[in-house]
Amino acid sequence: MSRQEPRKRRDRVQVLLVCSSGGHLLQLLALQPAWAGFSHLWVTSDRSDARSLLAGEPIEYAYWPTSRNIKNFFRNAWLAWRVVRETRPQAVLTTGAATAVPFAWIARIHGARVVYVESLTRIHRPSLSCRLIAPIAARMYVQWPELVESVRGARYAGTVLA
């Protein structure tokens, strides 16, 4: 988008689908039966896999890289504020990782329910994203029964890639 182009205002959505690209994106795509039929907007990294897998989908690209990048954390927090204010989602569904943290918190502040699905790669200990989102999540799911005891209030309902 050039500076002369006005930014298009987004319509309201029922669900924000927030995730990093790669495995987090594949896991959220595998959860499509849970969000199919709801108006939605994707928030993910502008990477080749996201572009091909989400072709034709409504999408907002987050700033990348996010791991241990404080500048992009604040840029994504500002993006989250703008996107949440414009779209007023009823829920955020996320599989992590770092991009999800500001979106979950800001959406929760604006009244949205947050549902977090911990990564399939987490078997014994929760991720940092999981620990940061847990205090405001309406639902927490883990994909290994061994992890239920480590995440307060978590539910195990199987794995998304089974």
Side-chain angles (χ1 to χ4, degrees):
M1 167 170 69
S2 71
R3 288 184 175 233
Q4 286 80 22
E5 247 180 85
R7 190 172 45 77
K8 182 182 169 194
R9 187 155 179 86
R10 295 208 180 266
D11 293 331
R12 290 186 73 157
V13 298
Q14 293 171 301
V15 181
L16 270 182
L17 302 168
V18 184
C19 62
S20 299
S21 58
H24 294 280
L25 174 58
L26 291 174
Q27 290 176 65
L28 197 47
L29 280 167
L31 289 168
Q32 185 175 10
W35 53 263
F38 293 100
S39 61
H40 61 275
L41 172 66
W42 285 91
V43 178
T44 191
S45 308
D46 187 3
R47 311 289 292 160
S48 61
D49 65 329
R51 285 192 176 274
S52 65
L53 291 169
L54 300 177
E57 286 285 316
I59 189 166
E60 182 77 41
Y61 289 110
Y63 295 94
W64 184 87
T66 53
S67 296
R68 292 162 184 76
N69 187 315
I70 196 73
K71 178 182 175 186
N72 283 345
F73 173 82
F74 285 110
R75 292 170 79 189
N76 283 327
W78 178 250
L79 178 65
W81 182 265
R82 181 180 56 80
V83 168
V84 168
R85 298 272 302 173
E86 286 179 2
T87 63
R88 296 289 186 186
Q90 295 173 359
V92 172
L93 176 58
T94 182
T95 53
T99 302
V101 175
F103 276 88
W105 276 86
I106 289 169
R108 182 66 195 108
I109 288 167
H110 284 90
R113 292 176 50 94
V114 176
V115 178
Y116 184 84
V117 179
E118 180 62 297
S119 173
L120 181 65
T121 63
R122 292 303 182 141
I123 300 170
H124 301 291
R125 291 190 346 223
S127 65
L128 177 59
S129 298
C130 179
R131 294 190 314 263
L132 292 172
I133 293 173
I136 51 100
R139 292 271 173 99
M140 298 286 293
Y141 290 96
V142 296
Q143 297 187 58
W144 294 97
E146 298 90 335
L147 192 54
V148 171
E149 294 175 18
S150 299
V151 180
R152 191 172 52 137
R155 300 169 187 211
Y156 169 72
T159 61
V160 300
L161 299 178

